[in-house]
Amino acid sequence: MENLTELEKQAIDAAINGQWDEAISLNEKIIAEDKNNLEAYLRLGFAYLQKGDLKKAKEAYNKAKKIQPENYIAIKNLEKIKILETKKNKPYSTSTLSPYAFLDIPGKTKSITLVNPGQKAVLAGLSIGQEVFLNIKKRRIEVRTKNKEYLGYLPDDISKRLIILIKAGSSFKCYIKEADLKNIVIFVKEEKRGKKVSRYAPFPINNVFTSNIN
């Protein structure tokens, strides 16, 4: 019998690195040793969901729900799967994520919760690590998928700041960090800083930012 604590650590590490096949194998080993391991079923469901295997993801989450009927993670993901099945969509595939993919760099990166999130049918198809894109719309910045599907807006203060920077030549990369049917958190990273705003960090630690940039 393998040490369950070590298997759990390996399963978590595999998920962090986006190694979904490895994560599935490790969680199945854990379940073989402990058939009532709630966390293993939740991790297994998530791994299958990231691979787009809705049937097996549903099976894993239903087993988690049998162990703990009120488990919020299982319930919300079963709702997500139901929407995907109805719309005949699949979660977006994700590339292997580096464990440093969401590494915070003071002043250059920021995790942002979107406001006015889009339709559940669109949000249900999002995957962790999926690249998304900023789109300036009047005085706000909206976030859309590669297929132009609306996801939500950046908060007004951040929109205002980034509009100034983007118009001055700065550019940013954005990825889905967290997503469910009600909330989306994106990870925004500065890729290039415009010459006119070379002295200004996009996400200043002390929140001091001068909007009067010429």
Side-chain angles (χ1 to χ4, degrees):
M1 179 184 296
E2 294 190 57
N3 184 289
L4 288 182
T5 300
E6 180 59 29
L7 282 175
E8 287 174 354
K9 180 181 181 300
Q10 292 175 16
I12 292 169
D13 287 343
I16 289 173
N17 285 283
Q19 298 170 337
W20 305 119
D21 288 332
E22 180 70 9
I24 288 168
S25 176
L26 289 164
N27 284 301
E28 286 179 339
K29 286 182 180 180
I30 294 170
I31 291 168
E33 300 290 348
D34 179 5
K35 296 188 182 299
N36 291 312
N37 193 307
L38 174 65
E39 297 298 325
Y41 280 116
L42 294 174
R43 289 192 298 265
L44 184 62
F46 184 76
Y48 276 125
L49 198 53
Q50 294 306 299
K51 286 177 62 65
D53 192 330
L54 302 183
K55 181 180 179 181
K56 290 187 177 180
K58 182 194 284 188
E59 289 175 358
Y61 283 125
N62 275 324
K63 288 178 180 177
K65 198 162 176 273
K66 285 184 179 179
I67 296 170
Q68 190 179 86
E70 301 303 318
N71 186 273
Y72 174 72
I73 295 174
I75 291 170
K76 75 173 185 179
N77 279 293
L78 285 169
E79 182 183 357
K80 177 177 181 176
I81 291 168
K82 184 176 181 180
I83 292 172
L84 289 170
E85 289 176 331
T86 301
K87 298 296 181 179
K88 297 184 179 180
N89 289 329
K90 290 185 178 180
Y92 295 96
S93 60
T94 59
S95 57
T96 299
L97 294 177
S98 163
Y100 305 106
F102 299 127
L103 180 65
D104 184 46
I105 304 173
K108 291 179 66 70
T109 67
K110 190 173 184 65
S111 295
I112 303 169
T113 300
L114 301 187
V115 297
N116 299 325
Q119 297 180 353
K120 286 185 177 182
V122 175
L123 305 191
L126 298 175
S127 290
I128 306 304
Q130 175 186 339
E131 186 174 7
V132 292
F133 303 89
L134 303 180
N135 179 52
I136 296 176
K137 190 171 183 180
K138 296 182 179 179
R139 296 182 180 180
R140 306 179 78 181
I141 292 181
E142 61 181 18
V143 180
R144 291 183 177 268
T145 68
K146 184 178 180 180
N147 295 326
K148 309 298 183 183
E149 296 164 311
Y150 168 81
L151 300 179
Y153 280 101
L154 299 185
D156 288 345
D157 58 334
I158 298 175
S159 283
K160 182 178 179 181
R161 183 159 68 235
L162 293 193
I163 286 172
I164 293 170
L165 296 177
I166 291 170
K167 288 184 176 179
S170 295
S171 61
F172 300 86
K173 285 277 191 179
C174 307
Y175 303 91
I176 296 295
K177 185 175 182 180
E178 300 174 28
D180 58 32
L181 299 179
K182 296 181 179 179
N183 299 291
I184 305 173
V185 178
I186 65 169
F187 184 79
V188 182
K189 179 180 180 181
E190 180 187 45
E191 287 287 296
K192 174 188 173 184
R193 189 171 298 183
K195 290 183 180 180
K196 291 183 178 180
V197 290
S198 60
R199 295 179 295 164
Y200 300 94
F203 308 111
I205 299 173
N206 57 7
N207 290 323
V208 174
F209 184 81
T210 302
S211 61
N212 297 321
I213 302 174
N214 296 317

